[in-house]
Amino acid sequence: MKFISWNIDSINAAVEHKSVRGEMTWSTLNEIATIRPDVFAIQETKLKSTGLTKKQATAIAELFPEYHLYVNSSTARSGYSGTMVLSKVEPIQVEYPTIGAPGPMDLEGRIITLEFPTFFLSTVYTPNSGSSLIRLPERGEWDDKYREYIKRLDATKPVIFSGDMNVAHQEIDLKNPKPNRHSAGFTDQEREKFSALLDAGFTDTFRSLNPDTPSVYTWWAQISKTSKINNSGWRIDYYLVSDRIAENVTESCVIDTGARQDHAPILLEINVW
């Protein structure tokens, strides 16, 4: 099976594609449509609390005909966060879980989980610790609650889960580790929490296949005009799987988005049926 995951940073910007960046986002979305993944997971949809507009729904349906569509929009703050999953095969059931996260995080549409006969497929948009690490304590609580949630799924059947997890796990996972030791996404706490997630029985599929490969990133800051040119990036988007199915992974890679900064899609191929 082939899976793709992507922090799109606004479905509407892609559908409208009125800016140069919007055009690049729309182009990437079209490229993914030609790949025809079995499941396509999207984070940071930034949809209204009511979900897709008619225009957005039509555009997605035309790109991904006959896919089953599931949307989890933020009700805490409209036009913020949010996740979406498109699946060729209709799942047994779909869950939009609350995990006991602090503050409004459970109301921000951050998780969707699909159950299939032999595995769970889940996507997540992990909260950012924020400027000056203002939300680092709450982020730590989220990480603990999320880990327990994924472990509960794994106790029933194997899990394949992906998303923007807002952490570069190791120094090899970002271009400039030393000056970012106290930056959101590379604090000791966030890295330790990610280690705890892996230690709970899960495999980082890309790093498992490419243990020593440097300079492969999934996010480049838009604020820097040269971040993509210089490949000054971070690997903060992941496909993780239960350890017991990790040997079934045949590919885990980043899809090239050319000059487009921000997040790139990631692709996983695995034998799970």
Side-chain angles (χ1 to χ4, degrees):
M1 297 185 72
K2 187 174 293 184
F3 302 94
I4 291 177
S5 181
W6 186 27
N7 178 323
I8 196 171
D9 189 24
S10 176
I11 291 286
N12 192 62
V15 170
E16 294 293 337
H17 50 277
K18 293 181 177 179
S19 65
V20 172
R21 185 169 177 278
E23 286 283 1
M24 290 190 287
T25 304
W26 180 244
S27 177
T28 300
L29 192 60
N30 276 264
E31 179 183 351
I32 291 170
T34 64
I35 296 172
R36 299 283 295 169
D38 292 281
V39 180
F40 177 27
I42 304 174
Q43 305 90 46
E44 202 170 4
T45 56
K46 293 185 176 179
L47 297 177
K48 295 180 179 179
S49 57
T50 50
L52 292 162
T53 65
K54 185 176 180 179
K55 181 176 181 179
Q56 292 164 354
T58 298
I60 296 299
E62 288 177 350
L63 281 178
F64 299 93
E66 301 180 4
Y67 275 73
H68 302 273
L69 172 66
Y70 307 98
V71 175
N72 194 5
S73 297
S74 171
T75 56
R77 176 178 162 192
S78 189
Y80 175 74
S81 186
T83 49
M84 185 166 81
V85 177
L86 293 131
S87 176
K88 282 183 179 177
V89 177
E90 186 174 7
I92 297 170
Q93 66 177 2
V94 180
E95 181 182 26
Y96 307 92
T98 56
I99 59 174
M105 291 177 177
D106 268 339
L107 303 176
E108 293 172 346
R110 292 185 175 276
I111 307 173
I112 302 177
T113 300
L114 280 57
E115 180 180 1
F116 295 101
T118 59
F119 64 97
F120 288 105
L121 186 290
S122 191
T123 196
V124 63
Y125 179 35
T126 302
N128 191 295
S129 295
S131 59
S132 302
L133 303 177
I134 191 170
R135 288 208 301 178
L136 185 61
E138 290 82 2
R139 164 63 188 269
E141 291 183 55
W142 166 278
D143 285 334
D144 291 339
K145 297 290 187 179
Y146 180 72
R147 183 175 65 256
E148 291 305 313
Y149 170 70
I150 292 295
K151 286 172 61 179
R152 288 195 297 272
L153 294 180
D154 185 56
T156 301
K157 61 181 73 172
V159 189
I160 299 168
F161 55 114
S162 69
D164 173 3
M165 297 186 180
N166 266 314
V167 58
H169 184 216
Q170 302 170 328
E171 290 194 353
I172 195 174
D173 294 317
L174 72 165
K175 180 67 174 287
N176 298 304
K178 289 184 179 180
N180 282 295
R181 283 298 303 275
H182 301 289
S183 299
F186 198 60
T187 63
D188 289 345
Q189 173 188 294
E190 291 162 315
R191 297 169 66 195
E192 288 166 3
K193 297 290 188 182
F194 193 83
S195 292
L197 179 59
L198 298 181
D199 291 343
F202 305 101
T203 297
D204 172 355
T205 60
F206 174 82
R207 193 53 70 199
S208 176
L209 294 178
N210 307 277
D212 302 310
T213 303
S215 306
V216 177
Y217 308 123
T218 66
W219 176 80
W220 300 262
Q222 293 184 67
I223 196 170
S224 169
K225 292 182 179 180
T226 61
S227 66
K228 195 70 178 285
I229 296 170
N230 297 332
N231 197 27
S232 296
W234 297 50
R235 191 174 72 93
I236 59 175
D237 302 84
Y238 298 84
Y239 261 109
L240 275 64
V241 301
S242 297
D243 286 347
R244 61 189 182 277
I245 61 170
E247 65 181 9
N248 297 342
V249 174
T250 57
E251 180 67 273
S252 184
C253 63
V254 182
I255 296 175
D256 184 14
T257 56
R260 185 184 185 275
Q261 294 173 230
D262 205 53
H263 293 265
I266 54 176
L267 180 146
L268 175 76
E269 291 187 9
I270 182 172
N271 300 315
V272 285
W273 282 128

